[in-house]
Amino acid sequence: MNDKKVYIWKLAEFLQAQKMVMSGEELAEHLNRNNFLTSYGTEYQGGRGTYKLIKQTWKWLENDLKLNSEAQAVALAFVKQNGDYAYE
């Protein structure tokens, strides 16, 4: 699981450096293309599971690792289709 979280963390930092965002659906396609699977061994669909992974990554960085600026990058980089932050 941490491999996925690190991947999302680094992707978020890249997106933020470029002043870009990515939706959960776009992240799902990206994860699938790079051979990351859900905990059930299936591809991501861009729905609840993808947004849960974003939130878990944010919590891991913020609460467990105490990496506030990195958590902030995740918070700002990933959005819902309507533009709201995906980590909430």
Side-chain angles (χ1 to χ4, degrees):
M1 175 64 110
N2 283 349
D3 288 345
K4 283 188 266 189
K5 289 177 182 176
V6 169
Y7 191 78
I8 289 171
W9 162 15
K10 297 303 179 180
L11 180 57
E13 288 182 330
F14 171 79
L15 289 168
Q16 282 297 283
Q18 303 304 313
K19 300 194 183 330
M20 302 170 96
V21 295
M22 180 180 282
S23 72
E25 290 78 9
E26 292 166 325
L27 176 60
E29 289 180 32
H30 193 76
L31 290 168
N32 294 337
R33 188 175 308 118
N34 289 285
N35 301 313
F36 286 101
L37 299 175
T38 68
S39 59
Y40 300 108
T42 60
E43 289 191 339
Y44 284 91
Q45 300 299 311
R48 189 174 68 170
T50 306
Y51 290 101
K52 183 178 177 182
L53 179 58
I54 294 166
K55 186 173 188 169
Q56 288 173 338
T57 302
W58 178 84
K59 281 183 167 181
W60 177 64
L61 291 167
E62 181 76 14
N63 300 329
D64 298 342
L65 300 181
K66 307 293 186 212
L67 298 172
N68 298 344
S69 63
E70 290 82 350
Q72 182 75 3
V74 171
L76 298 175
F78 298 105
V79 297
K80 297 177 184 174
Q81 285 293 68
N82 66 2
D84 290 346
Y85 295 125
Y87 81 102
E88 298 180 311

